[in-house]
Amino acid sequence: MEQWLKEDERLDYLLAEDLRIIQSPSVFSFSLDAVLLSRFVNVPINKGKIVDLCSGNGVIPLFLSARTKAEIIGVELQERLFDMAERSVKYNGLESRVKMVLGDVKTVPPQLGIEKYDAVTCNPPYFLAHELSDKNVSEHYAIARHELYLTLDEAIESASKLLKQGGKAAFVHRPGRLLDIVTAMRAHRLEPKRIRFVYPKFGKEANTLLIEGIKDGKPDLKVLPPLYVYNENNEYTDEVSEILYGDKK
């Protein structure tokens, strides 16, 4: 086991997918947002090509590998996170289906191929650069969570460049950026088609949104039923529990 891990890393279970992932409390650990995005996006089942932008430690490519036999490429800017993702892919024996690329989301489309992909996912930095108020946060988390090296518009533009006409791009973000997201998607030929709001519990404001668009699609937006994370007993709702644990709870 130790041969796979470095420093304070640990090997966590992805229970519903029966996979393992390398994580680190000081470098990067995935959040529920990534899990929800990987379940929300429509992906080709048996063949095709998928790109995950802002991959972090490779969690979304790992989740998607349990849903599809398509080729999956994960793009990550930070070398340490890329290294964690590569080791997780190898640990799970997925090298033939999942490939990690160390690169900048802004400049990677020509490298991977313009308009060659059926689906693109992206869990981009949520916060504007000037919102970085906690000076004690690690550099890795700061880059992953704040628009220090990648803006929302740049992420959406790159997703569009990678997609074939009719391909689907899915993003997870904060509801406060909804209009920015829709504006940027339409500016880059991605027509919003499905949106779902995620609420911490019933009666609370939404704190996450999932949105999917089709490249050069026709206007017709479906607002899906709300997703509640916790019930009145502060336990995961049945839907979230199934997403996280499958039938292994």
Side-chain angles (χ1 to χ4, degrees), residues 122-194:
C122 184
N123 181 0
Y126 289 158
F127 305 107
L128 299 172
H130 66 76
E131 293 176 329
L132 182 56
S133 57
D134 186 354
K135 303 304 180 186
N136 295 319
V137 70
S138 80
E139 177 189 12
H140 301 290
Y141 274 105
I143 292 171
R145 293 173 174 172
H146 294 78
E147 294 185 354
L148 300 175
Y149 294 101
L150 181 71
T151 67
L152 175 60
D153 186 78
E154 289 167 340
I156 291 172
E157 181 180 14
S158 286
S160 179
K161 287 179 178 177
L162 290 163
L163 278 179
K164 297 175 180 176
Q165 188 172 28
K168 295 175 180 176
F171 306 90
V172 59
H173 216 289
R174 294 290 178 253
R177 300 295 297 278
L178 173 59
L179 294 183
D180 295 335
I181 294 166
V182 170
T183 300
M185 287 177 71
R186 283 187 150 176
H188 297 296
R189 299 168 55 194
L190 298 176
E191 183 61 32
K193 301 291 282 187
R194 298 165 61 234

Side-chain angles (χ1 to χ4, degrees), residues 40-42 168-170 185 191-194 210-214:
F40 174 76
V41 63
N42 283 303
K168 295 175 180 176
M185 287 177 71
E191 183 61 32
K193 301 291 282 187
R194 298 165 61 234
L210 300 157
I211 188 165
E212 182 181 74
I214 293 181

